[in-house]
Amino acid sequence: MIAIAILAAGRGTRMKSDLPKVLHELGGRSLVERVLQSCQEIEISRRLVIVGYRGELVKQALIGDQEISEKSDFPPLEFVEQTEQLGTGHAIQQLLPHLQGFSGDLLVLNGDVPLLRAETIKQLMATHQQHQNSATILTANLPNPQGYGRVFTDSQNLVQQIVEDRDCTTDQILSPVMAVDVEDYQEILGINDRKHLATASDILQGRVKDKWMRAGVTLIDPQSITIDDTVELQPDVVIEPQTHLRGKTSIGSGSRIGPGSLIENSQIKENVTVLYSVISDSMVAENARIGPYAHLRGHAQIGANCRVGNFVELKNAQLGDRTNVAHLSYLGDATLGEKVNIGAGTITANYDGKNKHKTQIGDRSKTGSNSVLVAPITLGEDVNVAAGSIVTEDVPNDCLVIARSRQVVKPGWKLKDGNK
């Protein structure tokens, strides 16, 4: 049996933030979530998180994360209070009442060391159990160890001495304790300030980009691209410069994203193009074209072979297959059928100052330029809306609707001299 304990009680004063250090974000996840994720390849019977500074906020963040708190093969999180933050040893002491009667191994991890790989944790526990050690510690060979304590071992990797960097004349003998070196020293780098956070982000981005390029994804100018490690990409995706992929985003094979695009928490199917656009919390079906300068948000759903063009904003709008919204339009809380064509400058007036209202447009209907559809409203199938119309009433199938003032022409009109 293995219990894990995550040290997450400190404020992290060098972060210069009211937010607990372990809740600062790295690549789409908080630091402490990343530490919990690193334990996914070992069998865990208990998970304890030691909280202190703004502990309720840490609890809410972890309990609210579905991937961490509700994954079926993980035990529930247990929270241990460290009322006074008196150091690491004191934090571990707070575990004693909670572990009475527990028989097994205890894995202690720092909540601000987010780059540990799951395979490293697995190797650490395997070594510990294979040698039946009293304790096993994870160590690394740093190119510049300044500021870090030194761990001295014998030829069998048994720890002989630990000497702090600041007082290297002091010896501390431990037996029988074994050290396990990480393959990459960067895994054990802790986060103490914003500069460390930026360094960790660079390391994580390097891992993520290498992974996807080896998997058949083309990154044009990788240095200008950022990709959260929660993102899923298929082979033959092309990511252009200055593009950022965040959160629970997936992109299908053959799609070309960017340049200059942001996609977060969205699903992009196969053979989609996205150019200079922002997509959040939305879905785009295969062979659609998005942009330039489009904004999809609020659970927009774009059907197959659609075009959403220049300076178009869609919010909570559903477009059927082969529907086009080519330029200069806003569609909010709208459902459009198949093969609908939205003329330039069309907007849905969906908000009355208090409530949002729905617009529905049937298959093959068309709106002329500068049309306003005042919701709630329904246009049937095969409807044509004349340019410049303000439509306030439902329109049945197969109709032309003209809703604009009659043109008035007054000949011989000129300004008086005083108004020139």
Side-chain angles (χ1 to χ4, degrees):
M1 297 177 66
I2 300 174
I4 64 169
I6 310 297
L7 306 181
R11 176 175 183 171
T13 55
R14 283 180 282 177
M15 297 295 289
K16 301 291 192 286
S17 174
D18 287 334
L19 188 70
K21 178 167 66 172
V22 297
L23 292 188
H24 282 265
E25 187 175 292
L26 176 64
R29 291 189 177 99
S30 70
L31 303 183
V32 67
E33 287 170 358
R34 290 194 167 278
V35 175
L36 285 165
Q37 184 193 28
S38 69
C39 301
Q40 63 187 354
E41 291 192 10
I42 60 174
E43 293 289 336
I44 300 169
S45 59
R46 294 181 66 180
R47 298 189 301 161
L48 301 97
V49 180
I50 302 171
V51 297
Y53 174 73
R54 301 196 71 182
E56 288 302 317
L57 192 61
V58 177
K59 292 179 188 178
Q60 291 169 10
L62 290 178
I63 292 174
D65 185 89
Q66 298 301 311
E67 180 182 357
I68 297 297
S69 63
E70 294 185 2
K71 191 172 180 180
S72 59
D73 55 352
F74 277 165
L77 290 171
E78 304 173 51
F79 293 98
V80 177
E81 297 281 350
Q82 186 187 17
T83 306
E84 295 182 272
Q85 284 78 68
L86 301 178
T88 301
H90 180 258
I92 299 299
Q93 288 177 344
Q94 311 312 301
L95 293 170
L96 296 177
H98 298 267
L99 292 175
Q100 285 185 357
F102 175 78
S103 178
D105 295 316
L106 175 65
L107 172 64
V108 180
L109 297 171
N110 290 315
D112 61 356
V113 181
L115 297 176
L116 279 173
R117 301 175 190 264
E119 51 266 35
T120 299
I121 297 294
K122 186 177 181 180
Q123 178 193 1
L124 173 67
M125 295 309 302
T127 300
H128 176 76
Q129 294 170 347
Q130 177 184 352
H131 294 275
Q132 298 182 333
N133 295 329
S134 299
T136 308
I137 60 175
L138 199 60
T139 56
N141 288 304
L142 277 67
N144 179 10
Q146 184 176 0
Y148 289 87
R150 313 304 200 272
V151 179
F152 297 93
T153 67
D154 64 13
S155 61
Q156 302 300 314
N157 260 12
L158 291 176
V159 174
Q160 301 298 300
Q161 193 175 39
I162 296 179
V163 182
E164 291 291 342
D165 182 66
R166 63 177 177 267
D167 51 4
C168 286
T169 60
T170 301
D171 295 345
Q172 180 178 6
I173 306 299
L174 298 176
S175 173
V177 176
M178 180 174 284
V180 175
D181 275 342
V182 295
E183 183 177 339
D184 180 356
Y185 76 92
Q186 293 178 326
E187 290 188 53
I188 56 89
L189 297 180
I191 308 297
N192 292 317
D193 55 31
R194 306 293 178 125
K195 185 176 180 180
H196 290 160
L197 191 63
T199 299
S201 179
D202 288 342
I203 294 168
L204 184 62
Q205 283 298 305
R207 290 181 186 176
V208 171
K209 293 171 193 175
D210 287 349
K211 167 189 170 182
W212 289 121
M213 287 188 285
R214 285 194 295 266
V217 173
T218 297
L219 303 182
I220 300 175
D221 188 18
Q223 292 300 315
S224 73
I225 296 167
T226 61
I227 305 174
D228 284 354
D229 67 351
T230 51
V231 171
E232 291 294 330
L233 307 175
Q234 293 183 0
D236 292 322
V237 165
V238 177
I239 309 298
E240 295 270 8
Q242 301 295 333
T243 293
H244 309 283
L245 308 178
R246 298 178 181 166
K248 293 293 186 182
T249 289
S250 62
I251 300 178
S253 180
S255 290
R256 193 176 193 98
I257 310 299
S261 296
L262 168 64
I263 301 180
E264 54 185 349
N265 298 318
S266 297
Q267 288 71 54
I268 310 298
K269 301 300 184 181
E270 294 79 14
N271 301 308
V272 171
T273 61
V274 178
L275 177 63
Y276 291 112
S277 295
V278 175
I279 302 175
S280 59
D281 304 304
S282 297
M283 189 281 291
V284 180
E286 57 272 11
N287 303 305
R289 293 177 292 157
I290 310 297
Y293 311 114
H295 186 189
L296 279 58
R297 62 185 178 92
H299 306 289
Q301 297 185 37
I302 312 304
N305 299 286
C306 288
R307 181 187 172 200
V308 178
N310 308 17
F311 303 103
V312 171
E313 181 179 5
L314 303 181
K315 190 273 295 183
N316 189 28
Q318 291 79 49
L319 274 56
D321 295 348
R322 299 184 183 278
T323 285
N324 293 327
V325 189
H327 25 236
L328 303 166
S329 295
Y330 168 74
L331 301 180
D333 303 297
T335 301
L336 282 62
E338 296 183 1
K339 298 182 180 178
V340 172
N341 189 76
I342 300 297
T346 296
I347 66 169
T348 59
N350 57 319
Y351 185 50
D352 63 8
K354 184 178 180 180
N355 299 307
K356 299 290 182 69
H357 299 284
K358 291 284 293 182
T359 296
Q360 296 189 23
I361 302 177
D363 296 347
R364 299 174 301 280
S365 290
K366 300 176 176 63
T367 67
S369 297
N370 289 333
S371 297
V372 179
L373 309 179
V374 182
I377 194 167
T378 298
L379 307 185
E381 296 180 354
D382 301 296
V383 167
N384 279 263
V385 177
S389 293
I390 300 177
V391 184
T392 59
E393 298 177 0
D394 292 350
V395 181
N397 295 342
D398 192 21
C399 289
L400 169 66
V401 56
I402 305 172
R404 60 192 181 205
S405 299
R406 183 179 295 276
Q407 179 173 313
V408 177
V409 178
K410 295 185 177 181
W413 180 268
K414 72 176 180 180
L415 294 174
K416 294 181 180 180
D417 290 344
N419 294 329
K420 290 183 179 178

